[in-house]
C-alpha cells in the first residue's frame, strides 16, 4: 500500500471496501484538512480568549458599582447617629490614635526601605555610624523598641495566646462531648407513659406567653402558631403580652386575639400602661395574675417564633416523673438562614451553640443558659428562684443561673425545633450582639456573691464562674479583639514580638472548622466566617466593657427588627386567613361609637409612612480597617507571607462591615 493511501472502513461486514488514493491530489487533500483543523483550533482559542476577556469588564463593572454605592453611602451617612455616641467612645479614640501612629511609622518605614536602611533587628546602637537626623532617629527607635517596647508587647501577646489556647481547648472538649452524644445516640428520655388522649384531665395545665413590643410584621403568625398548638383546649391558656407603644397596632393585635377567641381558643390580651423593665417586666406582670396559680407549666414564645402544633406534646412530657427538672429548652431553626451572607454566618454560630454547647452542657451538667424563648418552665421553679427580675438586659440568663443555684435541672431537646428569624441587617445584628454580650457581664457582677454563698457543689461553682461567665463571656471577646485587632498589627511595627504562624493561621482555622461542623452545608463560607468573627470582636469587646463597668449603653434594650418571613405552610395559612377579610367587620362591630373613625385610621395604617431606611457607616470598624491595611502594608515590606494575607483580608473584612455592605442592602 502506498504511503498516501487512505483506508475507509464501513460497519457492515458485507460491504467492506478499501479505497486507495494515490493520485497527485492526495497531498492537496491532506493540506486542506490540516488548514481546516488549524482554523478550528484558532477559533476555539479565540472563543476562550473572548470569554476570558469578558470576565474583566464584569469585574470592573462590579467594582465600579461598589465604588459608586460606597461613595453615595459616605455622602449620605448620618454621622450623628453613629455608635460613637455611646460612652465607650474611648475605644474609638484609642483606635484613631493607634491608626495615626501606625501611619507615621509606616511612612518612616517606607523611607528606611528605599534608603536601604537595615530593616532587621539592631541590638547595638552606635550614633557615630549613622548619617542624618532622620536615620539617627530611626536607628534610635529600633534600639528603643527592642529594649523596652518589645518585651511588654511580648508579655501581653503571650498572655492573650494562653487565653486563646484555653478557649480553644474548651471548644475542643465541647466538640468531643458532642461527638460522644452522637456516637452513643444519647437523647433525653420520657419517663412513664404518655398522656391519655381520651382523658383531657390527664394533661397538665399549661400557660403560653407571647411577649411582644411593636411587632407589626410578625404578630399574626406568632399568635396563629400558638393558637394551633395540639393540647386540650381547657388545659391551655395563651397570654398575648403586648407592650406596643403604637395605639393602632394595639387594636390590630387585640382584634387578632378576639378572632381566635371566637374560634374557641382560650386566649387573653394584656397591655401594660406602665411599661418598665422591658421583657422581664412584661413577664413579671403577666405572672402576677391570679389565675396563674392554676397552671403548672409556662411556655415562652417570642413574637417571631412559630412552633409546630406538637411543640407541647414533645416538651411537656419530659417533666413527667422528674420533679427536679425546671426547664425544657427546644432548639431554634431559622426560616431565613439563606437570605444573605450575614444570615448564613449567624446560622453557623447558632448551630454550634445549640448543637454543641447547649446539648453537651444539658447532658453532662444539667445546666445551660435559657435562650429566652422556645422553652417550657415549671412555674414552681420560677417562683422558688425569685421570678423575673428587671436588673439586667439578659433576664433569661438571670433566671437560669438563679434556678441552677436552687438545684433545678435543665433538659435540652436538640430534635425539637422552633422556627424563627435571624436579623438580616448588620445594624439589627450589631445591637442584638451588644445586648447579648453586655448583659452577662452585668449579671456576673450581681450574681458572683450569690454563687459563692450557694449550696451547690464546688465543681458547679467553678463551672459557673470560670467556664460559663469568665471564659465564654469575658475572655473570648477580650482576646479576640486584643490579639487580632491590636497586638497583631502592632507586631508588624515591632517585629521582635512577632506572633507565630500557628497562632494566626493554624489554630483559628482548626477552631473555625470545628465550629462549622454542625452546619456542614456552610463549609464554603469557612474563611468569611473566620474573618467575620474577628470583625465582630470589636462590638463584643465594646459590649463586654460596657457591661462590666456599668456604662450607659449596657442598659439599652433595642427590639431586634423583624421582617415577618414565614415558611411555606405559614404563607398558605396566612393566605387563607386573608381571604376572609375579617378586619373591617370586626372593627365596626367592636368599636361602638368611634368605630368608623378608627376604621379610617386603620386603613391609613395599612400603608404606614415609616422613616426612610438607609445603610449606615460604622466609624469604629472603618478605623480598624485602615489600621489593619496599614499593618498589612508594613508586613509587605518585611516579606511576611501569612501575616500579610491575614491582615489584608481581615482589613478588607472590616472595610466591608464598616461600609455596611454585609447583610440587608437598602436601595
Amino acid at each position: 500500500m502506498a504511503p498516501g493511501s487512505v483506508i475507509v472502513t464501513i460497519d457492515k461486514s458485507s460491504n467492506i471496501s478499501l479505497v486507495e488514493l494515490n493520485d497527485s491530489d492526495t497531498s492537496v487533500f491532506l493540506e486542506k484538512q490540516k488548514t481546516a483543523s488549524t482554523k478550528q483550533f484558532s477559533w476555539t482559542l479565540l472563543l476562550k480568549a473572548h470569554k476570558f476577556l469578558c470576565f474583566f469588564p464584569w469585574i470592573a463593572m462590579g467594582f465600579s458599582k461598589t465604588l459608586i454605592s460606597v461613595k453615595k453611602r459616605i455622602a449620605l451617612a448620618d454621622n450623628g447617629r453613629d455608635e460613637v455616641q455611646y460612652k465607650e467612645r474611648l475605644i474609638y479614640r484609642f483606635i484613631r490614635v493607634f491608626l495615626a501612629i501606625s501611619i507615621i511609622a509606616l511612612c518612616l518605614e517606607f523611607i528606611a526601605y528605599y534608603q536601604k536602611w537595615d530593616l532587621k533587628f539592631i541590638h547595638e546602637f552606635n550614633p557615630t555610624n549613622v548619617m542624618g537626623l532622620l536615620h539617627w532617629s530611626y536607628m534610635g527607635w529600633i534600639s528603643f523598641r527592642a529594649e523596652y517596647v518589645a518585651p511588654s508587647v511580648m508579655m501581653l501577646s503571650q498572655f492573650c495566646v494562653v487565653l486563646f489556647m484555653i478557649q480553644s481547648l474548651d471548644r475542643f472538649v465541647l466538640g468531643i462531648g458532642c461527638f460522644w452524644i452522637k456516637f452513643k445516640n444519647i437523647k433525653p428520655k420520657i419517663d412513664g407513659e404518655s398522656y391519655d388522649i381520651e382523658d383531657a384531665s390527664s394533661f397538665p395545665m399549661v400557660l403560653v406567653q407571647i411577649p411582644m413590643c411593636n411587632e407589626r410584621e410578625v404578630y399574626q403568625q406568632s399568635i396563629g402558631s400558638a393558637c394551633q398548638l395540639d393540647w386540650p383546649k381547657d388545659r391551655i391558656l395563651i397570654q398575648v403580652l403586648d407592650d406596643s407603644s403604637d395605639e393602632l397596632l394595639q387594636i390590630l393585635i387585640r382584634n387578632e386575639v378576639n378572632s381566635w377567641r371566637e374560634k374557641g381558643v382560650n386566649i387573653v390580651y394584656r397591655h401594660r400602661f406602665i411599661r418598665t423593665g422591658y421583657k422581664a417586666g412584661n413577664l413579671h406582670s403577666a405572672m402576677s395574675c391570679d389565675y396563674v396559680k392554676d397552671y403548672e407549666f409556662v411556655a415562652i414564645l417570642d413574637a417571631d417564633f412559630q412552633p409546630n402544633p406538637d411543640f407541647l406534646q414533645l416538651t411537656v412530657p419530659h417533666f413527667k416523673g422528674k420533679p427536679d427538672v425546671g426547664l425544657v429548652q427546644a432548639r431554634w431553626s431559622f426560616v431565613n438562614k439563606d437570605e444573605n451572607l450575614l444570615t448564613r454566618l449567624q446560622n453557623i454560630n447558632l448551630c454550634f451553640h445549640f448543637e454543641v454547647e447547649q446539648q453537651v452542657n444539658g447532658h453532662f451538667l444539667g445546666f445551660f443558659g435559657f435562650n429566652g424563648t422556645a422553652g417550657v418552665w415549671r412555674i414552681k421553679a420560677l417562683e422558688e428562684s425569685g421570678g423575673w427580675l428587671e436588673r439586667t438586659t439578659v433576664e433569661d440568663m438571670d433566671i437560669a443561673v438563679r434556678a441552677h443555684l436552687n438545684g433545678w435541672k435543665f433538659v435540652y431537646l436538640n430534635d425539637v425545633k422552633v422556627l424563627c428569624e435571624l436579623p438580616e441587617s448588620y445594624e439589627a445584628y450589631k445591637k442584638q450582639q451588644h445586648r447579648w454580650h453586655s448583659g452577662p457581664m452585668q449579671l456576673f457582677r450581681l450574681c458572683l456573691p450569690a454563687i459563692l454563698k450557694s449550696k451547690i457543689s464546688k465543681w458547679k461553682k467553678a463551672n459557673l464562674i470560670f467556664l460559663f461567665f469568665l471564659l465564654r463571656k469575658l475572655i473570648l471577646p477580650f482576646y479576640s479583639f486584643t490579639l487580632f485587632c491590636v497586638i497583631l498589627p502592632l507586631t508588624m511595627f515591632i517585629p521582635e514580638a512577632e506572633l507565630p504562624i500557628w497562632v494566626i493561621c493554624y489554630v483559628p482555622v482548626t477552631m473555625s472548622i470545628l465550629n462549622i461542623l454542625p452546619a456542614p452545608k456552610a463549609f464554603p463560607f469557612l474563611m468569611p466566617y473566620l474573618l467575620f468573627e474577628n470583625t465582630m470582636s470589636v462590638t463584643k469587646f465594646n459590649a463586654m466593657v460596657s457591661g462590666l463597668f456599668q456604662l450607659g449603653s449596657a442598659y439599652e434594650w433595642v427590639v431586634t427588627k423583624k421582617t415577618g418571613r414565614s415558611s411555606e405552610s405559614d404563607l398558605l395559612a396566612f393566605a387563607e386567613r386573608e381571604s376572609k377579610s375579617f378586619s373591617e367587620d370586626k372593627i365596626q362591630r367592636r368599636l361602638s361609637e368611634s368605630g368608623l373613625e378608627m376604621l379610617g385610621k386603620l386603613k391609613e395604617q395599612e400603608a404606614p409612612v415609616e422613616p426612610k431606611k438607609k445603610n449606615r457607616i460604622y466609624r469604629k470598624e472603618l478605623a480598624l480597617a485602615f489600621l489593619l491595611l496599614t499593618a498589612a502594608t508594613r508586613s509587605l515590606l518585611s516579606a511576611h507571607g501569612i501575616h500579610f494575607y491575614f491582615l489584608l483580608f481581615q482589613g478588607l473584612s472590616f472595610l466591608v462591615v464598616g461600609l455596611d455592605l454585609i447583610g440587608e442592602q437598602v436601595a
Side-chain angles (χ1 to χ4, degrees), residues 63 106 109 215 229 273 444 515 532 577 595 606 629 643:
F63 186 70
L106 180 63
E109 295 290 353
E215 307 279 3
L229 289 172
F273 291 99
F444 179 63
N515 287 0
F532 182 70
R577 289 201 307 270
E606 290 178 359
L629 293 175
H643 296 73

Side-chain angles (χ1 to χ4, degrees), residues 152-182:
S152 301
V153 176
M154 289 180 66
M155 288 181 60
L156 181 59
S157 64
Q158 289 171 0
F159 175 68
C160 289
V161 168
V162 170
L163 297 180
F164 178 38
M165 295 308 299
I166 293 175
Q167 197 272 337
S168 300
L169 179 62
D170 175 59
R171 288 290 175 106
F172 182 74
V173 171
L174 287 173
I176 294 297
C178 181
F179 173 78
W180 179 258
I181 291 173
K182 294 291 184 183

Side-chain angles (χ1 to χ4, degrees), residues 328-345:
V328 175
Q329 173 72 58
R331 178 174 177 168
W332 298 2
S333 181
F334 310 106
V335 70
N336 61 337
K337 62 182 178 181
D338 297 323
E339 185 63 27
N340 55 44
L341 178 60
L342 179 61
T343 58
R344 291 177 185 272
L345 299 179

